[in-house]
Coordinates of all heavy atoms in Angstrom, one line a residue:
A357 N 3.9 10.7 28.4 CA 2.9 11.6 29.0 C 3.3 13.1 29.1 O 2.5 14.0 29.0 CB 2.5 11.1 30.4
L358 N 4.7 13.2 29.2 CA 5.2 14.6 29.3 C 5.5 15.2 27.9 O 5.8 16.4 27.8 CB 6.6 14.6 30.0 CG 6.5 14.2 31.5 CD1 7.9 14.1 32.1 CD2 5.6 15.3 32.3
S359 N 5.3 14.4 26.8 CA 5.5 14.9 25.5 C 4.5 16.1 25.2 O 3.4 16.1 25.7 CB 5.2 13.8 24.5 OG 5.3 14.2 23.1
P360 N 5.0 17.1 24.5 CA 6.2 17.2 23.7 C 7.4 17.8 24.4 O 8.4 18.1 23.8 CB 5.8 18.2 22.6 CG 4.8 19.1 23.3 CD 4.0 18.3 24.3
C361 N 7.4 17.9 25.8 CA 8.5 18.4 26.5 C 8.9 17.4 27.6 O 8.7 17.7 28.8 CB 8.2 19.8 27.1 SG 7.9 21.0 25.8
P362 N 9.4 16.2 27.3 CA 9.9 15.3 28.3 C 11.2 15.7 28.9 O 11.8 16.7 28.5 CB 10.0 14.0 27.5 CG 10.4 14.4 26.2 CD 9.6 15.7 25.9
L363 N 11.6 14.9 29.9 CA 12.9 15.2 30.5 C 14.1 15.2 29.5 O 14.1 14.3 28.6 CB 13.1 14.2 31.7 CG 12.1 14.2 32.8 CD1 12.5 13.1 33.8 CD2 12.0 15.6 33.5
L364 N 15.0 16.1 29.7 CA 16.2 16.1 28.9 C 15.9 16.2 27.4 O 16.7 15.7 26.5 CB 17.1 14.8 29.1 CG 17.5 14.6 30.6 CD1 18.2 13.2 30.7 CD2 18.5 15.7 31.0
V365 N 14.8 16.9 27.0 CA 14.5 17.0 25.6 C 15.5 17.8 24.8 O 15.7 17.6 23.6 CB 13.1 17.6 25.5 CG1 13.1 19.1 26.0 CG2 12.5 17.6 24.1
N366 N 16.2 18.7 25.4 CA 17.2 19.5 24.7 C 18.6 19.1 24.9 O 19.5 19.8 24.6 CB 17.0 21.0 25.2 CG 15.7 21.6 24.8 OD1 15.2 21.4 23.7 ND2 15.1 22.3 25.7
D367 N 18.7 17.9 25.5 CA 20.0 17.3 25.8 C 20.2 16.0 25.0 O 19.3 15.2 24.9 CB 20.1 17.0 27.3 CG 21.6 16.8 27.7 OD1 22.3 16.1 26.9 OD2 22.0 17.2 28.8
G368 N 21.4 15.8 24.4 CA 21.6 14.6 23.7 C 21.5 13.3 24.5 O 21.2 12.2 24.0
S369 N 21.8 13.4 25.8 CA 21.7 12.2 26.7 C 20.2 11.8 26.8 O 20.0 10.6 27.0 CB 22.2 12.6 28.1 OG 21.5 13.6 28.7
G370 N 19.2 12.7 26.6 CA 17.8 12.3 26.7 C 17.5 11.3 25.6 O 16.8 10.3 25.8

Side-chain angles (χ1 to χ4, degrees):
L358 293 175
S359 177
C361 296
L363 300 177
L364 301 174
V365 65
N366 297 316
D367 195 322
S369 61

